[in-house]
Amino acid sequence: MSAQPQGYYAASAAAAAPRAPLAGDIGADVCVVGGGYTGLSAALHAARAGAKVVLVEAETIGFAASGRNGGQIHPGHRKDQAELERWLGESQARDLWRLSEEARALVFDLACEGCDLKRGLVIAAHNASAARHLAEDAAHIEARYGYRELRMLDRVETAATLGTTAYPAARFDGGGGHLHPLKFARRLAALASDAGAVLYEDSPALAIARDDGVVETAYGRVRADHVVLACDAFSDALAPELAPYIAHVESFLIATAPLGAIEREHPSQRSRGRRYAPCARLLPQERRRPSDLRRARELLESAFRYRRDGSSAHAEGVSGPGGHRHRLWLARHGRHHAHAHAAFSGASDRASCSVTAIPAMASRYRSWAARRWRRRRWDGRNVSTSWRVWPPRKFPGGPLLRKPMVTAALTLLKWADLF
């Protein structure tokens, strides 16, 4: 049996009923490989469109990054809109904004029950430069996109909201939010099952035969007209051609013991990777290894006066969410490897919305008819927006230098945060 996900989110969610592994040979219209947000959303929306869907997951539903992430719901993308306008032009940046709004609305709708959904998001500025950037971005979004949910908080308001004087300013976003990531993954699974999809756990895909659409697992196989690969950073074992586009990035989520002193309700506060859980815990997320958690505890003590004997109730790693050079969904719903095969990948701190919404949009790109998924004519445009697409770019350095270069980049970003 696969191990259940460990850590705070697993401890704070009711135990899930196990799903049987795949045994024997079965047929399907669509086989989805991967039981995270992307795979579950693909299974859900394909099944709702009338497809016969089978999903295979190597561990348990939401076992990896989908069940252990920060749970933030962000409007917009990882790149701010002004930067997207410079990069892509105003028209395409506006289309991407509309895409993000559609994604956010979809996640709020899907997470409306049983996911500890909270409205509101606070992004804290760690210095005056960061505060100016947040204010300028808020003014730009309101003026150009009519988004009026953003409000800057001064030092006093920030301290009252976050319970710390460590930050000079912050920005409250009434359109953002937070959810329990593992509960959300399990809700997507329940909705997919209700729509008719069949989900198998403890069924790692060992190989995919591209010519005939056969997915081999340890104890069975699925013959499908279409295969969706939704394994993110773990995709390279099944599709080696994806390896140059993926770099493994590790992060670690710590859950403190209940704070006690912070009993009031907060919006979903995000302050450089720290958030409050519903039970008044702090959940800092760090790009640090467990051996360096002492430094994370020191930061908690200095910023939030958290002492509680210095212990943490949970410390877990999210190993291997994929870093991608273009951390935006700018490929044609993923990369097509052969006829009827597609892969979806890409994670960031704003991925909860995008990785849930993109498969839903892809399901509109294909329509269900005559017991087969029929591809609509591809005209170089996304079904939801009108921005152009281009091939993804590979990480430089090759397999030997990729990890050292990612480490160097993260170190550089930490250094840049000082200014």
Side-chain angles (χ1 to χ4, degrees):
M1 285 294 293
S2 298
Q4 289 289 327
Q6 301 298 309
Y8 167 75
Y9 290 127
S12 59
R19 298 175 184 270
L22 174 65
D25 295 356
I26 59 174
D29 301 308
V30 182
C31 180
V32 179
V33 181
Y37 294 160
T38 303
L40 294 167
S41 181
L44 166 62
H45 291 95
R48 284 181 173 176
K52 181 181 178 182
V53 180
V54 170
L55 180 147
V56 292
E57 160 59 36
E59 300 286 348
T60 55
I61 295 300
F63 178 83
S66 289
R68 312 181 191 214
N69 63 83
Q72 301 105 341
I73 302 173
H74 286 265
H77 296 275
R78 184 171 179 84
K79 300 292 186 181
D80 60 41
Q81 287 302 120
E83 185 172 354
L84 289 177
E85 290 169 8
R86 292 191 295 271
W87 184 17
L88 304 172
E90 183 175 349
S91 176
Q92 292 183 38
R94 193 170 295 277
D95 285 335
L96 281 170
W97 175 262
R98 285 195 290 265
L99 184 150
S100 75
E101 288 293 273
E102 183 176 343
R104 182 169 60 95
L106 175 64
V107 170
F108 275 128
D109 179 61
L110 292 173
C112 64
E113 295 180 12
C115 298
D116 297 347
L117 180 64
K118 297 179 69 176
R119 299 277 183 159
L121 185 77
V122 174
I123 299 180
H126 62 289
N127 58 25
S129 175
R132 285 194 300 272
H133 177 79
L134 287 175
E136 291 168 359
D137 182 56
H140 182 85
I141 291 175
E142 180 174 355
R144 302 290 288 272
Y145 297 88
Y147 186 74
R148 295 178 173 82
E149 298 283 351
L150 301 175
R151 182 172 67 86
M152 291 301 297
L153 308 178
D154 61 21
R155 182 181 292 275
V156 174
E157 292 175 300
T158 299
T161 301
L162 298 182
T164 175
T165 59
Y167 302 103
R171 189 175 75 187
F172 174 75
D173 188 344
H178 183 269
L179 51 72
H180 189 297
L182 182 56
K183 290 182 180 180
F184 182 51
R186 290 174 177 174
R187 173 157 173 80
L188 289 177
L191 292 173
S193 295
D194 291 345
V198 182
L199 280 54
Y200 294 98
E201 296 180 329
D202 196 23
S203 302
L206 304 178
I208 300 176
R210 308 296 180 84
D211 295 335
D212 53 8
V214 174
V215 178
E216 299 277 354
T217 70
Y219 305 108
R221 63 179 183 172
V222 183
R223 185 180 299 275
D225 295 329
H226 302 266
V227 178
V228 175
L229 185 60
C231 305
D232 198 36
F234 305 106
S235 301
D236 51 358
L238 294 171
E241 63 270 37
L242 289 180
Y245 303 98
I246 299 171
H248 289 249
V249 179
E250 295 177 336
S251 61
F252 299 90
L253 188 71
I254 309 164
T256 69
L259 299 180
I262 302 177
E263 298 291 348
R264 63 189 181 278
E265 279 295 312
H266 286 278
S268 173
Q269 292 110 350
R270 177 176 178 263
S271 51
R272 289 176 57 77
R274 296 165 180 82
R275 56 198 62 80
Y276 289 92
C279 57
R281 300 174 187 263
L282 274 172
L283 302 179
Q285 188 169 4
E286 302 286 346
R287 301 279 188 209
R288 303 176 189 275
R289 296 190 175 278
S291 59
D292 197 26
L293 292 183
R294 180 182 59 83
R295 174 58 179 158
R297 292 193 181 105
E298 290 174 355
L299 292 173
L300 285 177
E301 290 181 2
S302 66
F304 292 90
R305 304 297 187 267
Y306 173 75
R307 288 189 168 80
R308 289 277 182 179
D309 76 15
S311 64
S312 296
H314 299 280
E316 62 178 324
V318 181
S319 177
H324 301 260
R325 290 200 65 187
H326 289 159
R327 295 179 75 171
L328 287 170
W329 291 92
L330 297 179
R332 51 166 82 172
H333 310 308
R335 289 179 277 280
H336 292 266
H337 303 295
H339 177 66
H341 293 2
F344 299 87
S345 59
S348 75
D349 62 356
R350 303 194 179 203
S352 296
C353 292
S354 60
V355 299
T356 304
I358 293 296
M361 297 172 185
S363 70
R364 298 182 220 153
Y365 164 53
R366 300 170 181 268
S367 62
W368 178 252
R371 293 201 55 75
R372 59 188 293 269
W373 237 4
R374 182 180 64 213
R375 183 183 299 184
R376 296 175 184 171
R377 180 177 176 272
W378 176 261
D379 62 358
R381 293 173 180 268
N382 179 280
V383 295
S384 178
T385 66
S386 60
W387 39 267
R388 61 188 172 86
V389 297
W390 62 85
R393 296 173 61 190
K394 298 178 181 180
F395 274 97
L400 294 179
L401 295 179
R402 189 172 301 130
K403 180 148 188 168
M405 292 183 71
V406 169
T407 301
L410 290 174
T411 302
L412 178 63
L413 290 173
K414 288 181 181 179
W415 177 81
D417 273 347
L418 300 175
F419 302 95

